[in-house]
Amino acid sequence: MRVLKDLFAKNRAWAENIRNSRPDFFSRLAAQQSPQYFWIGCSDSRVPANQIVDLLPGEIFVHRNIANVVVHTDLNCLSVLQYAVEVLRVKHIIVCGHYGCGGVAAAMENREHGLIDNWLRHIKDVYRLHRAEIDLLPKDQRADRLCELNVVEQVANVCHTTIVQNAWNKGRELAVHGWIYRVDNGILKDLEVCVTGVDQIAAIHQVR
Ligand code: CO
């Protein structure tokens, strides 16, 4: 119980496997990381960033939380975002949600879940913003649509940060994407809400 031998055995085999195909892989990686992509996704164990897009260590910078939410005052998420944009100088920020998200489903309920209700309330805000559209849908489609709309709103939240807008104002090439992943078939879908400049966001949020 105190030593997870299986995981250490798996780790040794994994590292050896990579070394066998690329002997200098880890030594090169130790020297520097230069990922092009920053992934903001759900903590759900079925939605692992690297595996879904088949990228190796060093190729994608990752932040994950319950229901891939970007909260204006979340110092954790904002710090990772700042590092990604200002230090790593990523070219793409990907907000990736997934259908069947437990966090989104919980946000649609009226019962108490404890501490996490404070987090889920941000998703309730998304529901409230889009209630007219969601409530027109058959009941069994509402949660999946909220999963999509939650991604769209979090893309907007990323764009509203001064971190992203400062990069754009300096002429940096930076695209913010909204994607959604289907757990039951492993396929990603582009929600086609890509934002690449200050002029594409709501006027009230623009920083010039
Ligand atoms: Co989820």
Side-chain angles (χ1 to χ4, degrees):
M1 278 294 277
R2 296 184 62 172
V3 184
L4 299 169
K5 283 186 181 161
D6 287 6
L7 298 189
F8 279 88
K10 277 173 169 291
N11 166 251
R12 292 291 169 94
W14 170 79
E16 199 181 316
N17 200 20
I18 291 182
R19 269 197 308 267
N20 285 342
S21 57
R22 295 169 68 176
D24 63 345
F25 181 79
F26 289 109
S27 54
R28 284 171 58 123
L29 205 56
Q32 68 161 61
Q33 63 163 338
S34 53
Q36 299 260 312
Y37 313 100
F38 173 39
W39 175 282
I40 300 173
C42 184
S43 297
D44 193 306
S45 64
R46 300 165 299 177
V47 195
N50 283 69
Q51 278 120 316
I52 287 174
V53 286
D54 196 20
L55 290 179
L56 287 164
E59 295 183 315
I60 189 163
F61 198 59
V62 175
H63 176 78
R64 289 167 69 184
N65 61 39
I66 300 283
N68 42 272
V69 180
V70 178
V71 177
H72 306 309
T73 53
D74 177 3
L75 288 180
N76 182 351
C77 182
L78 294 175
S79 299
V80 186
L81 176 68
Q82 183 187 16
Y83 194 80
V85 172
E86 295 179 7
V87 181
L88 297 174
R89 299 175 81 84
V90 297
K91 295 234 167 35
H92 301 273
I93 299 170
I94 299 152
V95 178
C96 185
H98 67 102
Y99 294 115
C101 183
V104 171
M108 294 183 82
E109 296 174 352
N110 290 102
R111 68 187 179 90
E112 194 182 327
H113 305 87
L115 172 75
I116 198 171
D117 285 326
N118 298 285
W119 188 254
L120 298 178
R121 211 160 287 137
H122 296 289
I123 305 168
K124 285 185 186 287
D125 288 340
V126 176
Y127 178 89
R128 187 162 42 77
L129 271 173
H130 298 277
R131 194 179 153 193
E133 180 195 333
I134 293 169
D135 286 356
L136 278 179
L137 293 169
K139 271 203 163 147
D140 61 345
Q141 294 174 22
R142 290 179 190 171
D144 278 354
R145 183 60 184 145
L146 184 55
C147 289
E148 293 177 349
L149 291 167
N150 181 48
V151 170
V152 175
E153 290 300 327
Q154 305 317 321
V155 165
N157 287 347
V158 169
C159 297
H160 296 164
T161 63
T162 50
I163 298 162
V164 168
Q165 292 196 54
N166 285 342
W168 282 331
N169 286 334
K170 285 177 191 157
R172 288 259 315 280
E173 193 186 318
L174 179 63
V176 185
H177 309 262
W179 296 355
I180 194 150
Y181 176 75
R182 195 168 275 288
V183 172
D184 61 13
N185 68 6
I187 300 298
L188 276 173
K189 177 174 143 189
D190 190 344
L191 291 171
E192 295 176 12
V193 290
C194 182
V195 184
T196 56
V198 173
D199 55 319
Q200 296 156 41
I201 65 175
I204 186 69
H205 286 291
Q206 292 180 3
V207 177
R208 292 183 184 279

